[in-house]
Amino acid sequence: MFGAMHEEYYQMFYLLSDHRGIEKWYYNTTSSVLHTRDLEKAKEICYQYLELLKRVNKIFDLRVFYEKEIDNLDTVIEEASHTIENMEMLFMGSVYDLAKFDEQDFVDEYLSECYAEAYDEKLDYYVDKAMSAESNAFAELAEEAKDEADMLLRQIEELETLAKKVLKLFKSLPLNDIRIDNTKK
């Protein structure tokens, strides 16, 4: 899940190669690839992960593991919860403003403000002017969101690292020591 979120983040960049074959990644300030539904999906994934951690922690809390001095995931859950809270703050900042920016709505609004002058032979001029204003507004929003987007990526990477740590811990559990008694009600 976090790998998919990571990939979506990199869609906010584009790659250019020069005549020598040197490749360079550039932050995309020209077209929108991030939408509010993406942020909602990412938030949902984070909370699903937190819920999954709590369920897995019930296995770590079994007495057989306590007796073998195997720690539970309480600190990991606390760390993940803190990271998700940080992400939630970032979701509400300039990254959200960038995600909700709609190019067509901006152009339509701009043209409606200039409707008295934007007619017949002047229409093309005002459409070009609206497109230019939209491009500038988007570039400004993208630049404002860049630092928060970078912080968001670091938070996603932290959750991904935690997920790998939990998986490694889970795989190291002596699961054959678990005795399930399903005769009791």
Side-chain angles (χ1 to χ4, degrees):
M1 293 184 297
F2 298 121
M5 289 169 62
H6 200 264
E7 285 299 316
E8 283 197 28
Y9 169 82
Y10 276 107
Q11 290 179 11
M12 295 169 53
F13 292 84
Y14 59 93
L15 177 67
L16 290 179
S17 299
D18 66 11
H19 65 283
R20 297 170 293 182
I22 297 173
E23 297 179 341
K24 185 163 182 176
W25 286 92
Y26 291 92
Y27 182 62
N28 183 356
T29 58
T30 57
S31 64
S32 178
V33 293
L34 181 67
H35 302 282
T36 53
R37 68 180 175 275
D38 300 325
L39 295 179
E40 292 301 319
K41 181 181 169 187
K43 201 182 319 182
E44 184 180 317
I45 287 170
C46 290
Y47 284 110
Q48 286 175 351
Y49 174 66
L50 196 55
E51 187 60 35
L52 180 63
L53 276 180
K54 290 175 183 175
R55 288 182 182 175
V56 169
N57 198 32
K58 289 179 182 177
I59 295 170
F60 280 84
D61 281 338
L62 292 174
R63 194 172 98 200
V64 68
F65 297 130
Y66 179 75
E67 289 169 355
K68 291 186 178 211
E69 297 181 4
I70 296 174
D71 288 335
N72 62 18
L73 300 176
D74 288 346
T75 56
V76 173
I77 291 171
E78 188 177 314
E79 193 176 333
S81 185
H82 178 70
T83 301
I84 291 169
E85 286 174 16
N86 289 343
M87 290 174 74
E88 184 105 33
M89 297 291 281
L90 292 169
F91 285 145
M92 293 187 278
S94 35
V95 171
Y96 181 79
D97 294 339
L98 180 65
K100 74 176 187 174
F101 185 80
D102 186 313
E103 293 96 341
Q104 188 61 49
D105 286 349
F106 186 93
V107 169
D108 291 346
E109 188 175 316
Y110 188 92
L111 288 174
S112 70
E113 289 174 5
C114 303
Y115 74 93
E117 298 91 26
Y119 59 90
D120 296 332
E121 66 273 352
K122 293 183 180 179
L123 181 60
D124 287 340
Y125 168 76
Y126 279 99
V127 167
D128 288 343
K129 196 171 175 180
M131 297 294 282
S132 177
E134 176 274 322
S135 180
N136 291 338
F138 181 81
E140 187 176 312
L141 278 174
E143 280 300 321
E144 288 174 13
K146 185 178 184 321
D147 291 338
E148 283 186 14
D150 287 340
M151 289 190 311
L152 195 54
L153 175 65
R154 285 192 292 280
Q155 299 296 310
I156 292 169
E157 288 170 344
E158 282 181 35
L159 285 178
E160 192 171 14
T161 301
L162 276 175
K164 289 176 182 175
K165 178 182 173 184
V166 169
L167 185 59
K168 186 176 178 181
L169 285 171
F170 189 74
K171 286 181 176 181
S172 71
L173 287 177
L175 296 177
N176 55 343
D177 288 348
I178 300 175
R179 303 285 181 254
I180 299 173
D181 184 4
N182 54 4
T183 60
K184 296 179 182 179
K185 290 187 180 184

